[in-house]
Amino acid sequence: MNEMYRFTKIDLNIIVTDQTDKKALVLNHRTTPNCPVAYAIRMSMSLPFLWEDIIWREKWGTYCGENIAGHSIVDGGILSNCPIEYVLEKKKNIQKVMGDTEIIKERVICFVFDMETPLGWKEKVEKKVEKSGLLQGLQNATPLISKVESLLTTLLDAHDKEVINNYEDYVVKIPAKEVDTTEFSMPDDKIELFINRAEEKTREFLSILFKK
């Protein structure tokens, strides 16, 4: 992380979840300077039941001076899909990992997938197929996994809704009701619709922002 920062001066922050200590970690050049960027990204996409978690290696050093070697690290979205408070808040525990750089709040935008608002996608009957994604297969295989996923989703959604409500002036909600978390083989026309709806909502957000 530190090597990338020295060459680019980009303050990259990657949110992951420490399953061992049951808390969120912010990986950057301050907190984990020796952690490879590629592994940090890999950790951030380690969805339980889909991909193997990453075990923190001793050669990657500590996290803010804390030894986390051997800890199981997974996707940061397990605890929060909208960690915007790390950018906007000036609390001591946040400044410890994010630094004391002055943030221009008017330039902060948080994009979230709104799983309650319809995208407007209508699947063609003649092309109808089962939901894609490995998770769907696991759900079909055992009801227990489906129940666990439903419980986790409910808990996560409740947390994210509270965060989004607290910082709604900075959030762009992209309609995504018909989009599955693990839909890796999305049809081209659905991708196009998704992109168009995201652009539409972003333009709406910016038009309101520039009027203020």
Side-chain angles (χ1 to χ4, degrees):
M1 301 292 287
N2 192 49
E3 184 178 12
M4 175 184 168
Y5 179 74
R6 284 193 295 106
F7 279 104
T8 67
K9 298 304 178 185
I10 294 175
D11 191 354
L12 176 65
N13 296 275
I14 299 176
I15 311 294
V16 299
T17 299
D18 183 337
Q19 280 196 123
T20 304
D21 270 356
K22 299 176 179 58
K23 65 180 181 181
L25 306 179
V26 181
L27 309 183
N28 56 41
H29 67 280
R30 290 174 293 272
T31 61
T32 54
N34 297 321
C35 178
V37 173
Y39 272 102
I41 294 172
R42 173 62 178 80
M43 294 174 207
S44 74
M45 56 178 281
S46 295
L47 287 171
F49 306 122
L50 290 183
W51 289 291
E52 190 175 352
D53 54 336
I54 299 296
I55 304 302
W56 192 271
R57 302 179 185 179
E58 190 170 353
K59 65 180 181 181
W60 296 341
T62 63
Y63 177 78
C64 292
E66 178 187 351
N67 182 14
I68 59 173
H71 287 206
S72 170
I73 312 296
V74 296
D75 180 11
I78 298 301
L79 293 180
S80 175
N81 275 315
C82 186
I84 191 173
E85 65 269 23
Y86 284 101
V87 178
L88 297 175
E89 294 291 342
K90 287 295 183 182
K91 298 177 182 177
K92 286 186 177 180
N93 62 318
I94 291 179
Q95 284 190 314
K96 180 180 179 181
V97 297
M98 298 297 292
D100 56 1
T101 304
E102 191 63 34
I103 299 296
I104 302 176
K105 291 187 176 182
E106 290 74 14
R107 296 182 181 178
V108 174
I109 300 179
C110 177
F111 294 91
V112 297
F113 291 164
D114 184 350
M115 309 307 287
E116 295 183 351
T117 302
L119 173 64
W121 165 257
K122 293 184 179 179
E123 192 172 13
K124 297 179 177 62
V125 176
E126 64 272 17
K127 292 185 178 180
K128 189 172 183 179
V129 294
E130 291 185 5
K131 286 184 178 181
S132 60
L134 296 175
L135 187 56
Q136 185 63 38
L138 287 171
Q139 289 175 340
N140 292 336
T142 168
L144 177 60
I145 291 179
S146 179
K147 289 181 179 180
V148 171
E149 188 223 358
S150 178
L151 176 60
L152 291 175
T153 299
T154 300
L155 294 173
L156 179 59
D157 285 350
H159 172 270
D160 286 343
K161 282 181 180 179
E162 181 179 357
V163 173
I164 291 171
N165 288 335
N166 289 338
Y167 302 100
E168 60 182 353
D169 289 343
Y170 303 93
V171 176
V172 177
K173 298 179 182 179
I174 301 174
K177 186 174 182 178
E178 302 94 325
V179 179
D180 292 333
T181 305
T182 55
E183 191 172 358
F184 304 127
S185 56
M186 192 184 296
D188 290 342
D189 48 351
K190 188 174 184 179
I191 293 175
E192 183 178 2
L193 175 62
F194 194 39
I195 293 174
N196 289 339
R197 293 287 277 142
E199 181 178 349
E200 174 189 319
K201 288 299 180 180
T202 302
R203 289 183 181 277
E204 288 179 7
F205 175 86
L206 293 177
S207 66
I208 295 173
L209 179 65
F210 290 142
K211 287 179 181 179
K212 292 182 178 179

